[in-house]
Amino acid sequence: MQAGPARAGAKPLIEGVADMSAPRKLFIRTYGCQMNVYDSERMAEALGEQGYEQVDSPEGADMILLNTCHIREKAAEKVYSELGRFRGLKEAKPDLKIGVAGCVAQAEGEEIMRRAPLVDLVVGPQSYHRLPAMEARLREGGRAIDTDFPVEDKFTGLPPRPRASRGPTAFLTVQEGCDKFCAFCVVPYTRGAEASRPPERILAEARDLVARGVREITLLGQNVNAYHGAGEGGDWSLARLIRALAGVDGLERIRYTTSHPNDMSDDLIAAHGECDKLMPYLHLPVQSGSDRILKRMNRSHSAESYLRLIERIRAARPDILISGDFIVGFPEESDADFRATLDLVEAVGYGQAYSFCYSPRPGTPAAERAQVDPAVAAERLQRLQALLGQQQKRAQDRMVGQEVGVLFEKPGREAGQMVGKSDHLHAVHVNGGGVGPGVLARVRIVASGANSLAGEVIAAE
Ligand code: SAH
Ligand code: SF4
Ligand code: F3S
């Protein structure tokens, strides 16, 4: 993603630095979830106010920021190998500043600077509004570290989004943090306690995005359906927020992610049946199909209650595509427990899913327990992914012959091809049809490929 060019007349924070007219170059690499993608955009905007312009490659950059993920060991370790690769760049250009943001920054703090002395800045996800001040400290030759959970809202402190135009889809964080403490998960530690942004700020940001060309917004939160922003008349639920957003002219599609089964309220389920702009796709992680394991995971729902919930959601919106997350090889998981996960998958019929081998995370309760043999876990993952892959393909194949809505985003690989996403979040490509990025069209699906659908435009707006 490209931030807009530095604004003309942006006031440099530090006076007396040589050539302030040439924009400084900022390279950001983003790992992890959609919220990191959103945060990276906001950090680029905040540093844009400081005279930085975002670039696509680390070579020649004045500042490199890694926005990191701590969810599994592999994700966290990637950061250090990546930092190692920047050593040459720093030697060639000693005033290059290197920063680590995101969940590894929060979890490891100062330790990062010990392990990787080339790092000048460490900033946790709740402190991004302090980034401009931290950057100023770096320019004075210091290092900066901030992993507080400040009382002020980071989004209030960040500058308003500049009005540069952008693509047709956008993320918008409405809720952050988590109080659920699943026994495997670092998020409550890295993102902090659950907090919701006020609805009027979200509505203002959505209107601004729409004015810049956005037609689809995905509302983000680690526990997005627990949203409870303080607004007019008291706390708003996610359903109320969605209904209000549906009233924003020019906003055509609304999605939200990620939800916890226990927070799937009646009004949110009803919204899926009543609100045309709310897309028929729901990411609802279950993690395991074994009640014994769910209990040990501290998930506070059972396989049965999850299945009943899916039934109620499908009663409200029969064509909804269900997506999920699974962990295999959680401590003490037996063959019978794993069998129960396969049974649950069979019973639900997922249209899409993510699945992972359990990765012990420092400081989480499950990391201390008896671990499953990695070879057993790997074999289970393969079996689960084979089943989920079949289901995903079946859901995709079922679309052939159907007419769907597609929001086109960009040209495809072949000449004259355009690609976009269907209402059910399938990638769809068409040849011709006179549609460009940002066009919403009715499309007849004619073929189902490995990971995408082919269609023909019936009618574009
Ligand atoms: N509720 C969150 C979940 C974040 S983590 C959200 O909003 O996305 C995304 C997924 O990573 C989880 O649903 C879980 O399936 C997986 N995960 C989390 N911790 C893990 C661990 N220690 N090992 C393996 N997978 C993990
Ligand atoms: Fe992690 Fe569980 Fe919270 Fe999701 S609900 S972020 S898996 S602790
Ligand atoms: Fe990773 Fe943090 Fe997101 S750990 S998944 S970047 S909330």
Side-chain angles (χ1 to χ4, degrees):
M1 251 145 296
Q2 201 73 23
R7 285 183 186 177
K11 188 176 176 297
L13 205 85
I14 321 240
E15 310 290 355
V17 174
D19 182 15
M20 285 307 295
S21 55
R24 294 190 295 240
K25 294 191 172 74
L26 168 69
F27 173 72
I28 305 185
R29 181 157 286 157
T30 306
Y31 302 88
C33 60
Q34 294 102 322
M35 195 172 286
N36 267 7
V37 174
Y38 176 82
D39 284 343
S40 288
E41 288 174 14
R42 303 303 308 270
M43 285 193 277
E45 287 162 1
L47 289 169
E49 303 270 309
Q50 306 281 106
Y52 279 90
E53 165 180 271
Q54 209 175 351
V55 293
D56 293 332
S57 130
E59 281 77 30
D62 298 288
M63 182 184 286
I64 294 175
L65 266 185
L66 296 184
N67 193 6
T68 61
C69 174
H70 200 245
I71 202 79
R72 283 167 290 275
E73 190 181 356
K74 228 188 250 165
E77 283 305 309
K78 222 186 282 174
V79 175
Y80 290 99
S81 51
E82 190 70 20
L83 285 170
R85 257 175 262 144
F86 295 144
R87 205 167 294 135
L89 291 178
K90 182 109 177 180
E91 275 161 18
K93 183 174 178 170
D95 66 347
L96 163 66
K97 304 297 175 198
I98 298 183
V100 177
C103 290
V104 176
Q106 189 61 47
E108 299 187 5
E110 255 173 289
E111 177 61 22
I112 297 174
M113 289 179 169
R114 269 194 293 275
R115 262 185 84 176
L118 82 174
V119 171
D120 305 284
L121 171 134
V122 172
V123 58
Q126 300 311 330
S127 304
Y128 295 154
H129 54 299
R130 296 177 177 170
L131 201 52
M134 295 173 82
E135 190 272 346
R137 226 174 304 150
L138 299 191
R139 292 286 142 205
E140 283 160 2
R143 288 170 121 192
I145 177 159
D146 193 334
T147 53
D148 286 353
F149 287 114
V151 284
E152 73 269 17
D153 173 1
K154 75 174 181 193
F155 297 113
T156 318
L158 283 172
R161 304 184 87 150
R163 302 197 62 86
S165 70
R166 47 170 301 155
T169 64
F171 294 131
L172 203 177
T173 292
V174 303
Q175 178 275 344
E176 194 166 351
C178 182
D179 297 337
K180 296 272 193 295
F181 291 92
C182 297
F184 49 81
C185 185
V186 293
V187 170
Y189 311 96
T190 61
R191 292 274 167 178
E194 204 178 300
S196 296
R197 297 178 68 196
E200 65 270 24
R201 293 229 183 88
I202 295 162
L203 284 159
E205 198 169 320
R207 284 189 206 102
D208 180 61
L209 286 166
V210 168
R212 292 159 60 198
V214 168
R215 311 196 70 191
E216 169 179 315
I217 290 180
T218 301
L219 307 175
L220 299 182
Q222 268 87 34
N223 240 293
V224 72
N225 56 345
Y227 176 82
H228 56 93
E232 204 190 304
D235 274 6
W236 286 34
S237 66
L238 184 66
R240 184 165 175 194
L241 179 67
I242 288 169
R243 288 178 197 273
L245 282 163
V248 172
D249 266 352
L251 178 60
E252 305 297 342
R253 289 171 145 192
I254 302 166
R255 306 180 188 275
Y256 62 93
T257 197
T258 297
S259 298
H260 191 287
N262 288 10
D263 294 314
M264 213 54 220
S265 62
D266 291 344
D267 66 340
L268 187 54
I269 295 173
H272 275 284
E274 293 161 9
C275 182
D276 290 343
K277 291 185 179 179
L278 183 57
M279 291 293 103
Y281 181 99
L282 177 64
H283 185 60
L284 196 62
V286 65
Q287 315 298 354
S288 168
S290 153
D291 287 343
R292 193 176 75 89
I293 294 297
L294 286 169
K295 213 176 205 132
R296 297 292 282 151
M297 286 177 162
N298 194 28
R299 286 289 294 182
S300 60
H301 59 77
S302 64
E304 183 56 32
S305 68
Y306 180 85
L307 290 172
R308 275 204 308 272
L309 177 60
I310 298 283
E311 269 170 29
R312 286 169 50 222
I313 296 163
R314 283 189 168 140
R317 181 77 204 231
D319 69 331
I320 198 162
L321 191 143
I322 303 290
S323 157
D325 287 347
F326 297 87
I327 295 178
V328 301
F330 186 77
E332 301 155 27
E333 184 187 69
S334 66
D335 283 340
D337 293 318
F338 176 62
R339 183 70 243 164
T341 298
L342 295 178
D343 290 346
L344 178 134
V345 171
E346 296 277 11
V348 172
Y350 286 90
Q352 134 84 25
Y354 303 91
S355 48
F356 316 94
C357 275
Y358 170 69
S359 169
R361 307 308 292 127
T364 59
E368 312 300 323
R369 302 183 192 155
Q371 302 296 314
V372 168
D373 177 354
V376 172
E379 194 262 341
R380 286 180 188 161
L381 185 65
Q382 237 175 32
R383 284 173 61 195
L384 176 62
Q385 289 186 337
L387 176 60
L388 289 168
Q390 281 166 18
Q391 292 194 341
Q392 181 173 335
K393 185 72 172 87
R394 222 175 294 145
Q396 213 186 270
D397 292 349
R398 265 201 300 273
M399 303 310 295
V400 177
Q402 292 196 41
E403 190 187 311
V404 298
V406 175
L407 176 60
F408 287 98
E409 293 174 22
K410 55 182 186 228
R413 253 179 262 144
E414 290 168 28
Q417 204 174 56
M418 281 297 300
V419 293
K421 293 279 166 53
S422 75
D423 300 339
H424 296 91
L425 210 55
H426 285 123
V428 177
H429 55 88
V430 299
N431 287 302
V435 290
V439 170
L440 196 55
R442 299 300 300 167
V443 170
R444 177 161 302 108
I445 302 301
V446 294
S448 168
N451 288 305
S452 66
L453 297 167
E456 286 166 358
V457 176
I458 301 169
E461 347 117 287

